[in-house]
Structure formats: C-alpha cells, structure tokens
C-alpha cells in the first residue's frame, strides 16, 4: 500500500507516519528528514537546500523527487510507502505518479490532516525530539516521563529543528497554502482523499488513519 499524509507543518504527519511504521512495517518517506540528513552530511544537495530550508521556503521539485525515487529503489517492492511532506506542489504530485508507475506501484490513499493554523504555531515551536531514536516530544503536551531521558531509548540528548521558530513557521504555512493545498483537487478528482480531524488527540487520529488503511488498496 502507498499512502500520502498531507497537511500543513505541525499537523502530525510525522507522528502518524511513525505509528504506521511500527504497526504495519511500512516505510516513512519524509523528504524533510532526507533533506536534514543531507544538510548535516554537507552533501551537494544539502549545501544547496540549507538556506532555502532555513527560510521556510520549498526546495526544488527535481531535488525532492530524485530523493524519493532513490528511496523507492532502495526499499524494494514489498514494503508499503508513507509519503510524509511530499508531494508539496502539483508538479511533485505529477512526478510522484510517474515515479510510482516506474516502480509498479500506485497511490492508494491520500489522508489530509485538518488543523487549526493558530494552534500549529504553538505545536511546532514547542516540539523537540530525541537525537538518538527520533522520538518526538513537546514542551507542554508530551514531555519525557523522566525529565531529560528519552522514554523510548534512554538517550539524554535532544534536538530542536532550526526551522521550528515562529517566523519560519509562518513562511512554511504560507508556502503550504499557496503551493501544497492546490494538490488536493488533483487527488480529489480520483476519489482517494480522506479528511481526518488532526486536532483530535494523537490516538484518535491514529484510529481514523488505521480505518482508512483497513479499507485496503
Ligand atoms: P518538513 O520536515 O516536511 O517540515 O520539511 C522541512 C523543510 O524541508 C521544508 O520547509 C522545505 O524547505 C524542505 N522540504 C521538505 N520536503 C519538501 C518537498 N517535498 N518539496 C520542497 N521542499 C521540501
């Protein structure tokens, strides 16, 4: 199964993707994560992307689509894919169709997480994650059970994303409204979009997402 999680920054795409990976052995394909890894490793792609990302703008369609294609090659055909943060433009959505066809895959579901934008700024600026296993936390909604120690792996190192500050978040949201939201009619026309209340608690959102997967391909 191949699904897209769509929604503005902070909607909970990464959180839900991590749960699907755990429950179904699917693979999360997050272009944001891939780009952050490229920036950290100072690869040519990372060097090109770093400033664009710091401003909260979008990296070129060609770069991200090439990352996705390479990831699908590495994955092999049996593993389901969860696209998280990709596609983000209509051009990327068209490129994804071509990439999937090239891997004998097809898109089964698009899940749009509906959220209240004002709440997102608070969600995003408070979030941090374990540097070792990537488990996500939040200053007010989800602190580690033992202060300073990751619940999942015991690490004491945590990190915040450089682009999770209010100014950059506002730009990222404007980019979402302008360039990503127009993807929805493209998928609506195929009847594969399900809308889920992304403001509900994490477990309730997961239940709804699982319901969509239970519909099958
Ligand atoms: P994310 O982790 O999905 O919030 O992405 C962080 C940043 O990486 C975004 O603000 C963009 O600068 C860049 N990025 C991630 N995915 C894409 C994409 N599909 N297209 C263009 N830029 C992207």
């Amino acid at each position: 199964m191949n699904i897209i999680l769509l929604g503005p920054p902070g909607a909970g795409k990464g959180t839900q993707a991590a749960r699907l990976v755990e429950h179904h052995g699917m693979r999360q394909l997050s272009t944001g994560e891939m780009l952050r890894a490229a920036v950290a490793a100072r690869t040519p792609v990372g060097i090109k992307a770093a400033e664009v990302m710091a401003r909260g703008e979008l990296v070129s369609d060609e770069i991200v689509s090439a990352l996705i294609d390479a990831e699908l090659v590495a994955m092999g055909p049996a593993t389901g894919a969860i696209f998280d943060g990709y596609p983000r433009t209509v051009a990327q959505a068209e490129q994804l169709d071509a990439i999937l066809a090239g891997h004998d895959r097809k898109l089964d579901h698009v899940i749009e997480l509906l959220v209240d934008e004002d709440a997102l700024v608070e969600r995003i600026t408070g979030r941090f994650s374990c540097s070792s296993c990537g488990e996500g936390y939040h200053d007010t909604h989800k602190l580690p059970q033992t202060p300073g120690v990751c619940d999942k792996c015991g690490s004491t190192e945590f990190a915040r994303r450089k682009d999770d500050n209010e100014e950059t978040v506002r730009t990222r949201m404007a980019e979402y409204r302008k360039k990503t939201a127009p993807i929805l009619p493209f998928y609506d026309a195929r009847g594969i979009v399900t809308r889920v209340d992304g403001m509900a608690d994490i477990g309730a959102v997961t239940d709804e997402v699982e319901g969509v997967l239970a519909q099958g391909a």
Side-chain angles (χ1 to χ4, degrees):
M1 186 161 308
N2 302 288
I3 68 165
I4 295 174
L5 293 177
L6 203 66
K13 303 184 295 291
T15 302
Q16 295 303 327
R19 294 186 161 209
L20 295 181
V21 168
E22 222 166 87
H23 299 170
H24 300 283
M26 296 173 82
R27 176 86 158 261
Q28 175 183 7
L29 288 92
S30 158
T31 41
E33 292 290 338
M34 293 173 204
L35 289 166
R36 280 187 287 282
V39 170
R42 295 182 194 280
T43 66
V45 163
I47 290 165
K48 229 174 175 174
E51 279 187 25
V52 179
M53 292 171 75
R55 288 197 300 269
E57 294 167 10
L58 294 187
V59 172
S60 82
D61 296 330
E62 288 65 33
I63 286 181
V64 290
S65 290
L67 289 172
I68 288 288
D69 193 30
E71 218 31 54
L72 285 170
V73 171
M75 258 166 76
T79 308
I82 308 156
F83 298 98
D84 159 13
Y86 177 92
R88 252 178 162 97
T89 63
V90 172
Q92 289 177 26
E94 288 164 351
Q95 286 159 2
L96 178 60
D97 278 345
I99 292 168
L100 287 173
H103 292 278
D104 279 329
R105 290 173 181 262
K106 74 167 186 43
L107 193 57
D108 300 299
H109 298 285
V110 176
I111 300 174
E112 184 191 9
L113 297 174
L114 300 172
V115 281
D116 161 19
E117 268 202 24
D118 287 334
L120 291 185
V121 176
E122 192 263 350
R123 262 199 198 179
I124 295 181
T125 53
R127 71 185 180 182
F128 62 98
S129 62
C130 171
S131 300
S132 179
C133 73
E135 180 72 357
Y137 294 97
H138 191 278
D139 291 330
T140 44
H141 309 304
K142 190 191 165 196
L143 284 165
Q145 274 158 17
T146 307
V149 183
C150 175
D151 298 342
K152 207 168 169 189
C153 77
S155 165
T156 54
E157 302 281 329
F158 296 89
R160 281 176 201 269
R161 280 172 50 173
K162 211 171 150 187
D163 60 350
D164 277 352
N165 61 78
E166 178 156 358
E167 194 191 340
T168 308
V169 168
R170 298 272 180 206
T171 306
R172 287 160 62 200
M173 285 182 183
E175 288 282 78
Y176 181 82
R177 273 194 305 271
K178 197 164 83 189
K179 297 178 183 163
T180 309
I183 296 178
L184 281 155
F186 180 84
Y187 292 129
D188 267 329
R190 296 188 202 169
I192 56 171
V193 182
T194 304
R195 294 178 164 84
V196 168
D197 176 12
M199 299 310 294
D201 70 54
I202 295 175
V205 178
T206 304
D207 290 346
E208 295 236 16
V209 170
E210 291 287 0
V212 175
L213 263 71
Q215 294 168 18

